């Protein structure tokens, strides 16, 4: 006899089979994803809090309109918002920063059929509804701030996030690979306060340990570690201590986990499962509300860069960075990487609600509370 209960049981069983089944969802990718993953990414506001639109330093990379293939790559990547950010510094920091902002905001404007420039957190929500890609303008150094009034000036140009230091010493504080970390300077305190006043997010991803802790303490608002991993898993100067993660979280901050190979594990094999190990560590340490994604790469990764540019990039860092043969991780080195990460989170036992938080819900909350 067919009853309402038997029909519902059959429907539930069919749904379970669909969710467990694997499907080749994209014509340009042989990887198969579950219906559950596809549904989750479709629902999520996915924020990559360090995702350059392109790691390509040639002017031709940003001078014109994107190809149809590039547009389709962004439309189907599953990522709602990219924090488009690079590091500038040295004597030409101001000129280089202004060139970066002008060049990439121009690229976003010329490709407005795909992108939308972010002013407030609501623009990310609007981009999701409109099926566009939101672009957050940021910098991975703050050497272009020569006086505290500069913060407001760059905010008015569109900058919404600033990392206090890159890897070395500047007037604000010390970077993570600097020999001595003297902490946040008096000028650094002024800049942090100015950033909070205008509504610019403070980022300490590359900062030294003491500079990181000082910034967390000084900032009246929550701050971000947009792209780093956990030093408790292995000892690398670019990674964050448990103390830093705990104090960041205690103030309402969020840490984005990166997929850069030498920041994930110090030996092979290094896989996407090891990226999830860092997410797990943050969750166990401070809770699911304080972890997100900061891939620290564009959609195709570093290893696909033009060879001359890749050689130059590798040569610009200290030996302590520990480059290996590859910089990217298989499964996290292609335009659909957010789907692979979602699959990995489900394999690890995360609920849909928690996956949505990691993919972007936590950073969306942080941006809404810190931006004006």
């Amino acid at each position: 006899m067919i009853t309402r209960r038997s029909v519902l049981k059959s429907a539930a069983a069919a749904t379970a089979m669909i969710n467990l089944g694997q499907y080749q969802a994209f014509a340009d990718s042989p990887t198969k994803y579950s219906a559950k993953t596809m549904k989750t990414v479709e629902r999520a506001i996915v924020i990559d809090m360090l995702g350059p639109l392109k790691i390509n330093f040639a002017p031709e990379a940003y001078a014109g309109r994107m190809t149809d293939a590039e547009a389709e790559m962004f439309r189907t990547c599953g990522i709602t918002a990219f924090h488009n950010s690079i590091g500038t510094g040295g004597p030409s920091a101001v000129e280089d920063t202004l060139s970066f902002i002008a060049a990439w905001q121009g690229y976003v404007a010329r490709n407005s059929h795909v992108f939308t420039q972010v002013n407030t957190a609501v623009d990310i929500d609007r981009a999701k509804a409109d099926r566009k890609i939101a672009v957050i303008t940021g910098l991975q150094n703050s050497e272009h701030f020569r006086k505290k009034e500069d913060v407001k000036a760059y905010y008015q140009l569109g900058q919404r996030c600033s990392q206090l230091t890159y890897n070395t010493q500047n007037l604000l504080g010390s970077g993570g690979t600097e020999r001595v970390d003297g902490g946040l300077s008096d000028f650094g305190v002024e800049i942090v306060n100015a950033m909070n006043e205008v509504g610019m997010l403070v980022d300490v991803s590359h900062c030294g340990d003491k500079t990181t802790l000082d910034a967390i303490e000084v900032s009246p608002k929550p701050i971000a570690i947009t792209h780093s991993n956990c030093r408790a898993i292995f000892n690398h100067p670019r990674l964050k201590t448990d103390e830093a993660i705990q104090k960041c979280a205690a103030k309402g901050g969020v840490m984005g986990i990166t997929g850069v190979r030498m920041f994930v594990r110090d030996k092979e094999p290094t896989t996407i499962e090891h990226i999830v190990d860092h997410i797990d560590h943050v969750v166990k340490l401070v809770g699911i509300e304080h972890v997100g994604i900061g891939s620290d790469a564009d959609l195709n990764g570093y290893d696909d860069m033009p060879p001359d540019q890749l050689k130059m990039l590798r040569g610009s860092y200290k030996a302590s960075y520990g480059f290996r043969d590859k910089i990217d991780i298989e499964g996290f080195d292609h335009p659909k990487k957010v789907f692979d990460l979602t699959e990995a989170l489900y394999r690890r036992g995360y609920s849909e609600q928690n996956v949505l938080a990691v993919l972007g819900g936590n950073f969306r909350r942080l941006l809404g509370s810190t931006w004006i």
Side-chain angles (χ1 to χ4, degrees), residues 164 184-194 196 202 210-223 251:
L164 299 181
L184 202 63
S185 68
D186 289 346
F187 179 63
V189 172
E190 285 186 0
I191 294 300
V192 169
N193 288 333
N196 276 273
V202 175
K210 189 172 189 312
T211 299
T212 294
L213 294 174
D214 285 353
I216 294 168
E217 182 180 356
V218 165
S219 179
K221 291 183 181 179
I223 72 165
K251 273 200 152 177

Side-chain angles (χ1 to χ4, degrees), residues 24-307:
Q24 186 174 340
F26 303 101
D28 61 344
S29 172
T31 306
K32 295 181 178 180
Y33 301 107
S34 67
K36 185 175 183 179
T37 285
M38 297 300 297
K39 178 183 175 183
T40 299
V41 176
E42 173 65 23
R43 179 184 171 192
I45 288 180
V46 181
I47 301 175
D48 188 340
M49 271 308 290
L50 204 292
L53 297 183
K54 263 187 219 182
I55 305 177
N56 189 325
F57 308 118
E60 294 77 17
Y62 49 76
R65 281 176 63 89
M66 58 173 49
T67 65
D68 290 344
E70 288 174 323
E72 185 65 11
M73 177 182 72
F74 276 100
R75 287 193 181 107
T76 60
C77 72
I79 298 173
T80 313
F82 289 81
H83 175 206
N84 187 41
S85 182
I86 64 165
T88 58
S92 61
V94 171
E95 293 83 356
D96 292 345
T97 300
L98 291 172
S99 293
F100 166 74
I101 293 174
W104 286 102
Q105 288 192 353
Y107 183 75
V108 169
R110 283 188 293 275
N111 294 285
S112 59
H113 57 304
V114 177
F115 298 122
T116 185
Q117 187 70 41
V118 168
N119 184 46
T120 69
V122 174
D123 294 321
I124 298 175
D125 305 335
R126 188 177 298 114
K128 179 70 176 180
D130 293 343
R131 294 188 173 274
K132 285 192 172 185
I133 305 296
V135 180
I136 302 163
T137 296
L139 270 297
Q140 290 189 63
N141 204 348
S142 291
E143 286 193 35
H144 58 294
F145 298 148
R146 300 297 170 88
K147 55 186 183 298
K148 65 180 182 180
E149 291 80 10
D150 289 343
V151 174
K152 183 176 181 180
Y154 280 95
Y155 180 89
Q156 290 171 333
L157 290 177
Q159 186 182 354
R160 292 295 176 269
C161 180
S162 205
Q163 189 173 268
L164 299 181
T165 73
Y166 202 60
N167 291 325
T168 55
Q169 183 75 36
N170 66 19
L171 293 177
L172 285 75
S174 301
T177 63
E178 193 64 69
R179 187 175 64 86
V180 176
D181 183 358
L184 202 63
S185 68
D186 289 346
F187 179 63
V189 172
E190 285 186 0
I191 294 300
V192 169
N193 288 333
M195 290 174 67
N196 276 273
E197 285 172 11
V198 302
M200 188 183 293
L201 180 66
V202 175
D203 179 12
V204 294
S205 297
H206 283 246
C207 294
D209 293 344
K210 189 172 189 312
T211 299
T212 294
L213 294 174
D214 285 353
I216 294 168
E217 182 180 356
V218 165
S219 179
K221 291 183 181 179
I223 72 165
I225 303 168
T226 63
H227 60 296
S228 187
N229 286 344
C230 308
R231 201 178 299 171
I233 291 181
F234 84 94
N235 188 24
H236 190 290
R238 256 283 280 118
L239 308 189
K240 294 303 180 186
T241 64
D242 281 359
E243 182 184 10
I245 297 167
Q246 288 170 320
K247 289 189 174 179
C248 178
K251 273 200 152 177
V254 179
M255 177 174 177
I257 298 303
T258 173
V260 173
R261 199 178 201 94
M262 64 273 195
F263 301 155
V264 173
R265 201 167 188 235
D266 59 350
K267 58 187 175 183
E268 298 300 339
T270 302
T271 71
I272 199 166
E273 297 297 332
H274 297 114
I275 298 175
V276 180
D277 288 344
H278 288 271
I279 294 172
D280 277 350
H281 184 80
V282 177
V283 170
K284 291 170 185 174
L285 188 68
V286 296
I288 190 70
E289 303 86 359
H290 302 288
V291 65
I293 304 166
S295 70
D296 200 8
D298 67 11
L299 288 177
N300 290 300
Y302 291 94
D303 295 324
D304 287 343
M305 288 176 65

Side-chain angles (χ1 to χ4, degrees), residues 306-349:
D308 59 330
Q309 293 190 29
L310 181 57
K311 182 179 179 180
M312 179 182 70
L313 182 141
R314 282 174 169 267
S316 65
Y317 292 92
K318 293 182 178 180
S320 59
Y321 249 52
F323 283 105
R324 306 210 292 275
D325 288 344
K326 291 185 177 181
I327 300 176
D328 304 319
I329 292 175
E330 293 79 2
F332 205 67
D333 59 348
H334 59 85
K336 305 299 188 295
K337 61 187 174 183
V338 70
F339 294 91
D340 290 73
L341 181 62
T342 301
E343 293 271 84
L345 289 169
Y346 277 133
R347 284 195 299 270
R348 196 64 64 95

